[in-house]
Amino acid sequence: MIKTITIRRLIIPDLPAIERIEAEEFFPDIQGEPLSKKELTNLLVDPDVETIVADSWDGITRAVLGYCVFSKNPGLGWIYIDRIATYPQQAGIGTILIDFLKADLHDTPSLNYINAGIRETNDAALESFTAWGFERSGQYKRGPDMFYDYTLEG
């Protein structure tokens, strides 16, 4: 039973758990390719992105249950979600991560909206972002894949 969930920044010991979530949750035809070890390691040093994790503690075991990679541009007023994944799914972990970003949106006067590009084949993400209050705001192609923009206004 999960007792406590904490949202915090990604640290080096989290990488194996993130790699496991990537392997479990990313399928090329639906969500795209899992991040490589090098790409995961770069999340720790890339000055343009932030990565938060949902960390659980039941008094005995600590576990990473999900993560969100995003960037912020207060000058232009946005947070952009690049990647969000949880394991297990349907456990409310994604909602906790999104609520963290929503709090940042509301607490930072220069931020006006959160945006995410979702692959059209990713029905679970399209459903989740709608449930979290995001609205479809556009679409674009990246290579052969169609993506939908989903936006949450602050």
Side-chain angles (χ1 to χ4, degrees):
M1 173 178 247
I2 296 171
K3 299 291 183 187
T4 304
I5 295 178
T6 303
I7 302 299
R8 60 172 175 74
R9 290 191 182 280
L10 175 72
I11 57 176
I12 291 171
D14 297 331
L15 292 177
I18 301 300
E19 191 173 15
R20 176 187 52 80
I21 292 170
E22 286 278 319
E24 291 284 336
E25 297 303 325
F26 281 85
F27 302 96
D29 293 343
I30 300 171
Q31 297 99 337
E33 295 291 333
L35 295 175
S36 68
K37 268 190 179 179
K38 182 179 180 182
E39 290 169 315
L40 288 170
T41 303
N42 285 342
L43 293 176
L44 293 163
V45 296
D46 187 337
D48 296 325
V49 300
E50 296 180 47
T51 303
I52 55 174
V53 298
D55 179 85
S56 74
W57 172 248
D58 65 5
I60 300 169
T61 306
R62 182 168 301 284
V64 172
L65 301 176
Y67 67 97
C68 180
V69 180
F70 62 97
S71 54
K72 285 196 281 192
N73 188 325
L76 295 176
W78 53 257
I79 297 172
Y80 181 79
I81 298 171
D82 184 56
R83 203 167 189 91
I84 185 169
T86 64
Y87 186 82
Q89 289 190 345
Q90 307 289 324
I93 306 304
T95 300
I96 293 168
L97 290 163
I98 291 295
D99 285 349
F100 181 89
L101 295 180
K102 285 180 178 179
D104 195 16
L105 178 68
H106 294 295
D107 294 344
T108 308
S110 60
L111 293 173
N112 301 313
Y113 64 96
I114 303 172
N115 184 259
I118 304 167
R119 191 181 299 256
E120 73 173 338
T121 55
N122 192 345
D123 292 333
L126 294 168
E127 193 174 293
S128 293
F129 275 88
T130 299
W132 294 328
F134 287 71
E135 294 182 5
R136 188 170 155 187
S137 56
Q139 65 185 45
Y140 60 94
K141 280 193 97 145
R142 187 183 313 151
D145 300 316
M146 179 63 72
F147 286 78
Y148 299 129
D149 275 324
Y150 272 71
T151 303
L152 177 73
E153 298 285 333

